[in-house]
Amino acid sequence: MTTYYTVGVMTKPHGLRGEVRVYPRTDFAEERFAPGSMLFVRPEGGTPITEVEVRSGRKHQNMWIVGFKGLNSIHDVERWRGLELCVSEEQLLPLPEGTYYIHQLVGLDVFTDEGERLGRLVEVLTPGANDVYVVRRSGRQSDILLPAIPDCILAVDLAANKMTVHLLPGLLDDDSESEG
């Protein structure tokens, strides 16, 4: 079974010529929304309903305006409001050494550089300057938020399903509780 990865979410039509506003969910928007690029359309997290070829794509503020071949009016794309644009696993672009796709990181077991298991990485937040890894702790209420910076993230071993981290001061709730 083929796995698909979301590269954008269509928010609403743009103009009358079949273009849509797309909120990008990829680091490769220039490639994904370039003319000739092949994408799949699907409901959120669902099975693709059709494949489309990009006829035009341009950045507009924090969005992309994307048109598809054969869809030339607002009526052709109105029904796609809120649907995802995705690529198949075979279409994923190679990443530089030491960088990973989010889907490769989610599910990793996270250990400190001293060998203590902290929990499992459950989500990657992308708030701005650097990503933040959300680690769900075993048997504890609160998650740990780890900045994705070299001082904190020491090693990622996909084959062993393991991430090794250095806990910077203040990253654990326990640290602040013991100081008070």
Side-chain angles (χ1 to χ4, degrees):
M1 180 175 177
T2 304
T3 303
Y4 296 90
Y5 299 98
T6 303
V7 296
V9 177
M10 294 180 278
T11 60
K12 64 181 183 177
H14 178 83
L16 301 174
R17 291 187 235 140
E19 293 179 315
V20 292
R21 289 175 161 264
V22 175
Y23 177 73
R25 298 212 3 227
T26 176
D27 289 336
F28 306 107
E30 290 81 11
E31 291 89 352
R32 296 301 183 198
F33 307 130
S37 180
M38 300 302 292
L39 301 170
F40 295 92
V41 177
R42 71 176 180 180
E44 185 178 347
T47 303
I49 54 175
T50 191
E51 186 176 21
V52 292
E53 182 177 345
V54 175
R55 73 172 148 81
S56 64
R58 65 188 181 280
K59 189 170 174 128
H60 178 69
Q61 297 169 350
N62 65 337
M63 306 285 277
W64 278 78
I65 308 299
V66 181
F68 304 102
K69 285 192 176 176
L71 304 173
N72 299 312
S73 85
I74 188 173
H75 305 294
D76 294 333
V77 295
E78 175 65 41
R79 68 184 187 276
W80 287 355
R81 186 184 296 253
L83 297 184
E84 295 177 339
L85 293 169
C86 56
V87 295
S88 66
E89 193 158 18
E90 296 78 35
Q91 292 173 283
L92 292 178
L93 299 172
L95 296 176
E97 188 174 330
T99 58
Y100 306 92
Y101 282 106
I102 290 173
H103 71 268
Q104 293 176 303
L105 298 174
V106 171
L108 292 180
D109 290 317
V110 180
F111 292 84
T112 67
D113 47 359
E114 297 173 352
E116 176 190 354
R117 185 178 188 279
L118 294 175
R120 181 161 296 204
L121 196 148
V122 295
E123 186 178 2
V124 177
L125 306 175
T126 56
N130 55 268
D131 292 348
V132 176
Y133 298 157
V134 180
V135 177
R136 178 97 0 105
R137 298 204 272 187
S138 308
R140 299 216 179 156
Q141 297 291 331
S142 60
D143 293 337
I144 303 170
L145 302 178
L146 300 174
I149 57 174
D151 288 348
C152 185
I153 309 303
L154 301 180
V156 174
D157 185 344
L158 296 178
N161 198 47
K162 179 180 178 180
M163 177 183 285
T164 305
V165 301
H166 174 71
L167 290 177
L168 300 172
L171 285 179
L172 290 181
D173 291 339
D174 303 0
D175 295 345
S176 60
E177 290 170 6
S178 61
E179 293 173 6

